[in-house]
Amino acid sequence: MKHTDSIHFAPDFERAVKHFKAQDDYTISPLLTLQAPGGFSIRVKDETNRMGLGAFKALGAPYAVARILETEWAAQAGETLTPERMNDPDVRAYAATRTFVCASAGNHGMGVAAGAKALGANARIHLAQTVPASFADRLRAFGAEVVWSGDVYDESVAAAIADADCTSATLLADGTWPGYTEIPKSVMEGYCIIAEEMRETFAASGVWPTHVYLQAGVGGLAAAMAHMIRLNWAEQPTLIVVEPEAAACLKASHLAGAPSRSDGPESNMGRLDCKEPSIVAWHTLERCDVTYQTISEDDAEAAAQAVTGMGLPTTPSGAAGYGALVKQLSDINPGKDFRPLVIISEGPA
């Protein structure tokens, strides 16, 4: 896929739906109803068991790996690959020559590793020293090569970029920056299926959420959800983008009117602890009429404990949307027509 400076996000979500429905391990993730403090119900999209990876990221990088290989094959062989052809020996032999490289603070690296393994390709994941050694073991179990790069996430990102520049590997990041936007758009396109699954459920019931809380790191998930909700949901909710106080780069960008860095201490919301936004995600959110909410480390930890206590084991990152909902309750003054929706984005680490 060619690197360009296009920041417009116009996903072919029907292509993503078709792709995943052809996968043996694809099932629609549960949309649950839980009781919140105050007695009202919360709709919860449970991504904690998505496709064996335990996080929504199972929809992003694996889909992008497939799209990249399909595009390269079409350019070289002049053939459009079907899902069935992806497992044929000649296609897998080609995939075995390709390596995908990224930096990761959590589930994106798992998605790259799993996506590469599923199609017979290789993965090399750069980790900062802040990432637990147990996560490196999980990556190696998927056949990925692990490289320890830098003290913090930003340094591992720089190492992954340098790796791809110096080798024949393909950089598969979930963030975007000037000159690198197209591959991450495929990652975001994969996430669109979450919103489409929910749309079908709400359309069938006729009962739509009034508020949707979307946690964000670089912003890929939040932007994909916001785009799809504004595109084709019959009833439009208030959209709240949730970030750690220590890494509110999307809110800072909104206030500045341009993509902006937000420096702060390391956050316990490790998968959301991103200091620079995806320029594609920020641009998308700016046209989707969203508001921004930050939460503290204590807010996130309390949210994780509360959601886990409801029977959905998760992390501060996974429960960040719920944490923002609880924090806003005193300001919202919810009535009987308040119907919030949160995404529990990952299971326990």
Side-chain angles (χ1 to χ4, degrees):
M1 290 186 181
K2 185 179 179 181
H3 293 183
T4 77
D5 283 313
S6 170
I7 59 174
H8 184 61
F9 180 56
D12 185 346
F13 70 91
E14 292 180 345
R15 177 173 61 192
V17 170
K18 181 179 179 180
H19 168 85
F20 283 109
K21 286 187 174 179
Q23 307 305 307
D24 292 338
D25 57 351
Y26 170 73
T27 57
I28 296 174
S29 66
L31 183 59
L32 310 174
T33 301
L34 300 178
Q35 295 302 307
F40 58 87
S41 297
I42 303 176
R43 299 310 303 271
V44 174
K45 185 64 166 170
D46 175 14
E47 294 293 307
T48 62
N49 290 297
R50 176 71 79 169
M51 297 180 75
L53 288 189
F56 76 97
K57 294 280 189 178
L59 297 170
Y63 176 71
V65 168
R67 291 284 302 124
I68 293 166
L69 291 175
E70 288 167 4
T71 301
E72 291 179 352
W73 186 267
Q76 295 187 27
E79 176 191 3
T80 300
L81 292 175
T82 64
E84 294 75 21
R85 276 283 284 135
M86 296 294 284
N87 288 317
D88 286 348
D90 57 337
V91 178
R92 292 186 70 85
Y94 172 75
T97 69
R98 308 299 296 125
T99 298
F100 295 90
V101 62
C102 75
S104 181
N107 296 313
H108 177 67
M110 289 293 296
V112 173
K117 180 179 181 181
L119 297 178
N122 308 291
R124 185 161 57 248
I125 316 298
H126 289 260
L127 302 180
Q129 295 300 323
T130 52
V131 177
S134 60
F135 180 70
D137 292 337
R138 292 180 66 195
L139 289 168
R140 294 187 185 102
F142 277 95
E145 177 186 356
V146 173
V147 182
W148 293 99
S149 302
D151 293 328
V152 294
Y153 177 67
D154 283 358
E155 293 176 358
S156 64
V157 171
I161 294 171
D163 183 336
D165 286 343
C166 295
T167 68
S168 61
T170 297
L171 180 67
L172 205 174
D174 54 354
T176 61
W177 50 85
Y180 183 79
T181 59
E182 295 307 298
I183 286 174
K185 285 182 191 176
S186 290
V187 175
M188 292 170 62
E189 186 172 286
Y191 298 157
C192 289
I193 197 169
I194 301 172
E196 186 62 10
E197 288 174 355
M198 292 191 289
R199 185 198 65 79
E200 292 178 351
T201 299
F202 294 137
S205 70
V207 180
W208 298 79
T210 59
H211 295 70
V212 178
Y213 294 81
L214 301 167
Q215 57 264 62
V218 297
L221 172 66
M225 295 300 97
H227 171 86
M228 292 298 295
I229 289 168
R230 295 303 186 222
L231 176 71
N232 66 4
W233 282 27
E235 295 187 20
Q236 288 294 305
T238 297
L239 299 181
I240 304 98
V241 176
V242 182
E243 298 178 282
E245 290 177 355
C249 59
L250 291 162
K251 181 179 180 180
S253 300
H254 173 71
L255 294 174
S260 301
R261 187 175 175 86
S262 177
D263 286 311
E266 183 181 343
S267 173
N268 65 358
M269 290 164 271
R271 264 63 71 200
L272 308 182
D273 188 12
C274 302
K275 311 304 185 186
E276 292 194 40
S278 159
I279 60 173
V280 170
W282 173 75
H283 181 264
T284 302
L285 290 169
E286 285 296 286
R287 62 172 170 77
C288 286
D289 186 24
V290 304
T291 61
Y292 292 90
Q293 173 73 48
T294 59
I295 61 173
S296 70
E297 307 299 290
D298 289 343
D299 294 332
E301 182 59 39
Q305 292 180 12
V307 173
T308 299
M310 296 178 194
L312 278 180
T314 188
T315 67
S317 295
Y322 180 83
L325 165 61
V326 171
K327 185 174 180 178
Q328 285 192 340
L329 286 181
S330 59
D331 297 328
I332 294 174
N333 189 25
K336 61 183 178 66
D337 293 327
F338 180 56
R339 299 185 299 276
L341 166 69
V342 302
I343 298 174
I344 305 303
S345 58
E346 65 178 11

